[in-house]
Amino acid sequence: MLKSMYSGVSGMRGFQTKLDVIGNNIANVNTVGFKGSRVMFKDIMSQTTSGVTAPTDTPSGGVNAQQIGLGVSIGSIDTLHLAGSPMTTNRPTDLRINGDGFFLVRLSEDQEVPYLTRDGNFTLDANRNLVTSDGLFVLDSGGGNITVGDDVVSFTIGQDGTIQQTMADGTTEAGVQLGIGKVVNPSGLEKVGGNLYRMTANANPDGELEILTANSTENGTGAIIAGQLEMSNVDLTSEFTEMIVAQRGFQANSRIITTSDEVLQEVVNLKR
């Protein structure tokens, strides 16, 4: 069987994966805190038909190897943790991180390692806990749930994540600070759905996560901007351009298979 046919098949599979990733990016163009992905290809091991010959003292020049590639495979699917555009909402519980860092949330107190998210679409539940749209608790800098007291009539959140509370008697006092997670390799995080990421051993050393505070020069965390949300970082212009490239690549590889089939048909027709 011709090697070109299998090379064409591998190419079609690769571009199909690329189209799957592009489709997911476009579908999440309006998802708060979403980070787009890209597909990188790499060639498969080549078959050597003739080895290398070194130059000699005869004199005789060296001869390069002759190799035939066997197709393409997926090298990586990278998540691009670039900042998305800010959207102003003026809601005090809508938060955006202007820089590096992630909000920390968890399902319950039994969860040892919290999830990470860039989606700051938070709200207060009936128990006055600061939660996500899915009901996950937002953590403070001490690793506890954030709860606004019954005697608090209003509050604002500063750039360092400190909750400034206005009490019923008109006085103001500082509450807890929001916790921020810093990740060495954000692309190493695992997507678990719901705009959440799970810590892995390739994101931070040994998969450990230290809870920090926002707007810290020492820790390199970004400032928290209240009343804004970070939108998706998907660029539709780039995505549609890549879609055209993927579509044409898929068509070209399908043509390789068709041409290889025609060649095989000619071989079969040699014996009539």
Side-chain angles (χ1 to χ4, degrees):
M1 190 66 69
L2 296 177
K3 299 181 181 67
S4 58
M5 181 171 291
Y6 292 105
S7 296
V9 170
S10 68
M12 291 179 68
R13 288 176 177 170
F15 283 110
Q16 179 61 62
T17 301
K18 185 178 180 70
L19 284 172
D20 292 339
V21 172
I22 293 174
N24 182 65
N25 289 342
I26 294 176
N28 286 281
V29 69
N30 284 326
T31 301
V32 177
F34 178 80
K35 302 302 179 185
S37 300
R38 68 178 182 182
V39 178
M40 304 301 292
F41 297 109
K42 64 180 180 181
D43 64 332
I44 301 177
M45 182 181 297
S46 300
Q47 179 182 9
T48 301
T49 59
S50 177
V52 175
T53 301
T56 63
D57 297 332
T58 310
S60 177
V63 178
N64 295 329
Q66 297 179 9
Q67 294 181 297
I68 301 175
L70 300 178
V72 67
S73 64
I74 301 297
S76 65
I77 301 178
D78 303 320
T79 302
L80 304 177
H81 285 269
L82 304 174
S85 301
M87 180 181 70
T88 302
T89 64
N90 294 321
R91 291 182 69 241
T93 55
D94 283 346
L95 306 177
R96 175 178 69 90
I97 299 178
N98 186 25
D100 294 336
F102 293 84
F103 298 110
L104 304 177
V105 298
R106 65 184 176 189
L107 289 169
S108 65
E109 294 183 357
D110 297 332
Q111 184 177 346
E112 296 182 0
V113 181
Y115 294 122
L116 299 94
T117 182
R118 293 281 292 193
D119 181 2
N121 178 25
F122 302 141
T123 185
L124 292 181
D125 64 7
N127 291 330
R128 301 179 68 84
N129 295 310
L130 190 64
V131 297
T132 69
S133 57
D134 292 327
L136 279 72
F137 297 102
V138 182
L139 303 187
D140 60 22
S141 57
N145 300 342
I146 297 177
T147 304
V148 179
D150 295 333
D151 55 345
V152 177
V153 294
S154 65
F155 65 90
T156 59
I157 300 176
Q159 292 191 356
D160 62 351
T162 301
I163 301 178
Q164 296 291 339
Q165 305 172 129
T166 302
M167 316 307 290
D169 58 4
T171 61
T172 61
E173 63 179 45
V176 298
Q177 277 185 288
L178 270 74
I180 296 295
K182 185 72 180 298
V183 180
V184 177
N185 175 28
S187 296
L189 295 173
E190 178 186 357
K191 291 183 177 181
V192 295
N195 295 339
L196 302 177
Y197 297 93
R198 179 186 289 126
M199 177 59 64
T200 67
N202 197 39
N204 272 350
D206 299 324
E208 296 182 354
L209 179 62
E210 182 182 1
I211 301 180
L212 308 172
T213 56
N215 203 23
S216 171
T217 304
E218 179 182 357
N219 297 321
T221 53
I224 292 180
I225 309 299
Q228 292 185 356
L229 293 174
E230 180 183 5
M231 298 306 296
S232 171
N233 67 351
V234 173
D235 181 7
L236 283 179
T237 303
S238 299
E239 295 301 324
F240 279 111
T241 302
E242 289 299 314
M243 183 187 298
I244 294 174
V245 173
Q247 181 183 8
R248 296 308 180 193
F250 190 92
Q251 291 176 341
N253 280 274
S254 66
R255 180 64 64 182
I256 292 175
I257 296 176
T258 303
T259 303
S260 299
D261 177 62
E262 293 175 354
V263 172
L264 288 173
Q265 183 65 38
E266 292 297 326
V267 173
V268 171
N269 291 336
L270 288 176
K271 179 68 172 68
R272 298 184 181 276

